Amino acid sequence: MRNNLFLIGLVNVCLSSSAYALSPDAFTSLEYHVNTGTAKTMPYAATKQTDEFKEAFNFIDLEERLKVKLVTYLDTPNRAFKAKDINIRVREDVSKPRKSKITVKLRAADPESFGELSNYRKAEIDYTDGKAAYSVSYDVPYSPADIDVRNVDIDSVFKVLKRHSVLWDIVGDIYEAHQDEVIQTMVMRTHGWEGAVKDKRFDNVEVDFQVWTPYYRKPRISFNEFSFKGHVKDKAQLEKMYQYLYQQVESVGYEHGHSGSKTSSTFKMSKGFN
């Protein structure tokens, strides 16, 4: 009888650790990133496209309408959430405040490493420099009137998350163990424009150009990138689009400067984090 109980317990452990793991088929969203520099064609934290910029990147048409967002991240000084591959982001959409949201994003090296997850907004593969990064994210809307991204009331953010049982299962234990330690990173501002490349093969793919800079302009650093999204069913075309866009950006010849993960870079620039 004891042996039977042991076997039953072993089977249950195996099921709980692998049966609920995400499969590669769950990752239906793809996002591609191409880092770039703009040299002297754009001023620091530019709020509009210059003629020099348009001439240098003449392979793409971007709308003139500017999108502005403010972003900050939450964690403890010793990165307790990162230790569990969790990122918590508070993003205010300045252009459309009703689209402001708190995002809880989980990362893993492969789909099977996510374990049991449900009701997520999207399971995505990010491609930067040809390398794939897997993530699963949850979004919760909030009002900028209730939470100021420049000076985040930490308790207010987690009260919002606590209303969602799935999210609280992910972050609750860590937050309750480190409630007095959670702080925010520096605030980053994004200026962005939407458009499309002029090559008619890809005129159905929307491209974003974003400039990330510290909101208070210290340190004086900027991140510039083109990005586009699509569904896994269109991967063949998206891969061709990525190669085309990458080659066009490289042919412009501007140094990329700061590139890579904007989240990691924001934490590195922020005081108070190990």
Side-chain angles (χ1 to χ4, degrees):
M1 182 65 176
R2 287 181 179 176
N3 287 339
N4 287 340
L5 289 173
F6 174 77
L7 288 173
I8 291 170
L10 183 61
V11 169
N12 286 337
V13 168
C14 291
L15 286 174
S16 65
S17 63
S18 61
Y20 296 103
L22 295 181
S23 73
D25 293 340
F27 289 80
T28 57
S29 297
L30 307 178
E31 184 165 351
Y32 294 80
H33 303 263
V34 179
N35 296 308
T36 187
T38 59
K40 295 182 179 180
T41 65
M42 290 273 268
Y44 184 78
T47 57
K48 64 179 182 179
Q49 304 164 56
T50 64
D51 291 339
E52 293 81 7
F53 171 80
K54 293 176 183 178
E55 182 178 353
F57 296 90
N58 60 11
F59 54 86
I60 190 167
D61 276 327
L62 296 172
E63 298 175 359
E64 295 295 336
R65 183 171 62 89
L66 173 66
K67 299 185 299 180
V68 181
K69 298 174 183 177
L70 300 178
V71 177
T72 191
Y73 301 91
L74 307 182
D75 209 332
T76 66
N78 65 354
R79 305 297 305 279
F81 286 103
K82 182 178 183 294
K84 298 296 184 180
D85 297 313
I86 300 169
N87 282 318
I88 301 175
R89 180 182 69 201
V90 182
R91 183 170 68 192
E92 177 184 342
D93 193 318
V94 178
S95 304
K96 295 183 178 180
R98 61 184 175 78
K99 290 191 174 183
S100 299
K101 60 188 70 173
I102 301 166
T103 299
V104 175
K105 179 175 285 190
L106 296 90
R107 300 184 183 278
D110 51 70
E112 292 79 9
S113 298
F114 283 96
E116 182 180 358
L117 293 174
S118 62
N119 299 324
Y120 48 83
R121 188 179 74 86
K122 65 178 177 180
E124 184 176 65
I125 308 175
D126 277 278
Y127 291 95
T128 305
D129 294 333
K131 297 178 182 178
Y134 292 86
S135 67
V136 174
S137 60
Y138 298 80
D139 287 338
V140 181
Y142 79 94
S143 170
D146 298 329
I147 298 173
D148 181 1
V149 72
R150 302 162 190 81
N151 185 22
V152 174
D153 183 328
I154 305 296
D155 287 342
S156 294
V157 171
F158 284 91
K159 283 179 181 177
V160 171
L161 298 179
K162 195 171 184 178
R163 298 180 198 135
H164 303 267
S165 59
V166 172
L167 283 177
W168 198 245
D169 286 342
I170 295 170
V171 305
D173 288 346
I174 302 173
Y175 177 64
E176 290 176 346
H178 301 276
Q179 188 167 351
D180 297 329
E181 303 171 50
V182 180
I183 56 176
Q184 73 176 101
T185 66
M186 67 192 310
V187 179
M188 299 294 289
R189 180 194 345 240
T190 74
H191 288 162
W193 296 267
E194 296 177 351
V197 296
K198 295 179 180 178
D199 191 311
K200 294 301 181 183
R201 292 176 299 168
F202 312 113
D203 58 5
N204 63 326
V205 181
E206 182 181 283
V207 180
D208 285 339
F209 176 68
Q210 287 192 347
V211 179
W212 278 55
T213 53
Y215 179 66
Y216 296 107
R217 295 176 175 250
K218 293 181 180 179
R220 203 168 178 81
I221 287 173
S222 67
F223 303 81
N224 308 280
E225 72 167 25
F226 292 97
S227 64
F228 59 94
K229 302 177 182 180
H231 194 277
V232 69
K233 66 180 176 61
D234 300 317
K235 185 176 181 180
Q237 185 198 27
L238 295 172
E239 290 284 350
K240 292 178 181 178
M241 168 72 175
Y242 174 76
Q243 293 300 324
Y244 170 79
L245 184 58
Y246 180 83
Q247 291 168 4
Q248 292 296 317
V249 169
E250 289 299 297
S251 69
V252 175
Y254 294 150
E255 290 186 12
H256 295 183
H258 297 274
S259 60
S261 168
K262 296 186 289 295
T263 303
S264 297
S265 296
T266 301
F267 274 101
K268 287 177 182 177
M269 292 188 296
S270 301
K271 295 179 181 179
F273 295 94
N274 299 333

